[in-house]
Amino acid sequence: MGTHVIKMPDIGEGIAEVELSQWHVKVGDLVVEDQVLADVMTDKAMVDIPSPVHGKVIALGGQPGEVMAVGSVLISIEVEGAGNLKESAAPAPVKEAPAAPKVEAVVESKPAPAAPRPAAVCQGPMVAREADERPLASPAVRKHALDLGIQLRLVRGSGPAGRVLHEDLEAYLAQGQSNASVPVAAAYAQRNDEEQIQVIGMRRKIAQRMQDATQRAAHFSYVEEIDVTAIEELRAHLNEKHAASRGKLTLLPFLVRALVVALRDFPQMNARYDDEAQVITRLGAVHVGVATQSDLGLMVPVVRHAEARSLWDSAAEISRLANAARNGKASRDELSGSTITLTSLGALGGIVSTPVLNLPEVAIVGVNKIVERPMVVKGQVVIRKMMNLSSSFDHRVVDGMDAALFIQAIRGLIEQPATLFVE
């Protein structure tokens, strides 16, 4: 038997170290070629590290949350063959595939003969775990399970390393195995349990970026109410006529179009500010970041060259990027390079929000939920669909009047949707 040592690969872009986010194996596990061993986090995205060999895990090179240098020992695998394998030179840069942030781990020799593959895990929505065993699941999944009255330890996870996903909760409910019928007395029982959650991986990156943004930029917010009745009628009409052939439109592509048109008169909003060099760069291209919630946390995939896209083209790209982000498959290129950001909580959008800037951008436009309210129109009380835009700006480079005029321009475009397409 021999030892096959896998080193932390060079992911490129001058990255010297990465954070070990999660192990998908443990000591003693049998692994097969191409099986994902670990997730590592760069400044831009999550990257899978696959195994190039079959064998048995005999040592792990770090703990989740640990920052590891490129070239350091990631994992040791026992393989068939004589003697320990000799260490190789530092790994060469690996170019990431556009579809997903995956890289090949650099190893120390050619793959050894295959070891037996581990037995398949039985399928099904329910699984027995020890009472004190904590299954892998994101905070969003844990809250969803709590709301549904489901004990996570009883749900089989279909995600990496048995992670419980939202779909697993749905499968569990479909089997009629919900624990919502807990005795009333148990719901009022005293609880003294505590849970400590280590801030690592994507959550750590989000925390660092949010802290950096609030410390460096002089945030100010501006909220404006918009009548979206006309544009919602247009959206419904277009979907009824073209959804089958061109795809369904949400409100977001209309907002992207409104940003593109309004930025023609307010180019100072489509900019990046380098506060160290004291340089503002205004860009002609409109690369719209669309804030997207995923199980890994908040990501901002980028709709590039929104100024050159039709409604349906924007809608398709927003949908593609959102799915990639939620599935953890968005590449570094897809998560970087935005010039202005659009953020929305959808139906949970509330009345007002105070979005945090996505540095080095200077503007972010937040969408709140649509509600029907009585409004006075030409002296008559009528029911209209109303929505607030809650937007934030960097007051170091954006004046309050300009910010207000910019949002008013967007309001005018949305309330008179024909003007979105008048050149």
Side-chain angles (χ1 to χ4, degrees), residues 304-318:
R304 297 189 180 278
H305 289 290
E307 76 280 3
R309 294 180 183 271
S310 68
L311 283 178
W312 285 275
D313 190 11
S314 287
E317 184 68 354
I318 290 170

Side-chain angles (χ1 to χ4, degrees), residues 354-375:
T354 54
V356 176
L357 287 167
N358 184 23
L359 294 185
E361 298 166 26
V362 300
I364 180 171
V365 178
V367 181
N368 297 117
K369 66 181 179 181
I370 297 174
V371 295
E372 289 189 337
R373 291 210 304 273
M375 302 293 293

Side-chain angles (χ1 to χ4, degrees), residues 22-259:
Q22 179 182 356
W23 284 111
H24 293 297
V25 296
K26 60 182 182 298
V27 173
D29 282 356
L30 295 177
V31 298
V32 296
E33 188 175 353
D34 293 329
Q35 179 179 342
V36 176
L37 303 173
D39 294 336
V40 300
M41 175 66 63
T42 71
D43 287 338
K44 300 295 184 183
M46 189 79 75
V47 181
D48 295 340
I49 306 296
S51 173
V53 297
H54 297 67
K56 180 180 179 180
V57 178
I58 58 175
L60 304 179
Q63 297 296 322
E66 183 177 339
V67 176
M68 301 182 66
V70 168
S72 60
V73 174
L74 178 66
I75 188 172
S76 299
I77 299 176
E78 185 179 72
V79 297
E80 293 183 1
N84 290 341
L85 304 182
K86 185 176 66 174
E87 290 189 1
S88 65
V94 180
K95 185 177 181 180
E96 181 181 75
K102 293 180 180 290
V103 295
E104 294 294 329
V106 178
V107 298
E108 300 181 350
S109 78
K110 295 181 179 180
R117 291 178 179 266
V121 179
C122 61
Q123 300 299 314
M126 186 172 181
V127 62
R129 294 188 178 93
E130 297 296 331
D132 59 349
E133 183 179 352
R134 184 172 181 268
L136 290 174
S138 70
V141 170
R142 293 185 184 280
K143 183 180 185 304
H144 192 195
L146 181 63
D147 293 340
L148 295 173
I150 296 176
Q151 296 183 37
L152 274 182
R153 68 183 186 86
L154 299 179
V155 181
R156 183 179 301 282
S158 61
R163 178 183 290 271
V164 179
L165 309 176
H166 286 287
E167 305 90 89
D168 301 321
L169 298 181
E170 294 171 3
Y172 185 89
L173 287 176
Q175 295 293 321
Q177 294 169 327
S178 171
N179 294 291
S181 58
V182 176
V184 175
Y188 291 90
Q190 289 187 358
R191 294 184 59 174
N192 297 299
D193 54 304
E194 296 180 357
E195 180 181 12
Q196 292 186 338
I197 301 173
Q198 190 176 9
V199 180
I200 61 174
M202 181 64 75
R203 179 50 56 189
R204 177 187 287 176
K205 295 297 180 185
I206 292 172
Q208 290 174 344
R209 287 184 63 84
M210 294 298 102
Q211 179 175 326
D212 188 45
T214 53
Q215 287 181 341
R216 296 177 66 175
H219 282 71
F220 78 95
S221 296
Y222 177 82
V223 181
E224 182 57 87
E225 186 177 55
I226 298 178
D227 187 336
V228 295
T229 307
I231 204 163
E232 280 292 279
E233 290 174 352
L234 174 61
R235 186 176 70 85
H237 171 73
L238 293 175
N239 282 338
E240 182 179 357
K241 188 173 182 179
H242 298 295
S245 58
R246 301 187 185 182
K248 189 175 181 180
L249 294 172
T250 66
L251 185 60
L252 286 181
F254 290 94
L255 289 169
V256 169
R257 177 64 185 172
L259 282 178

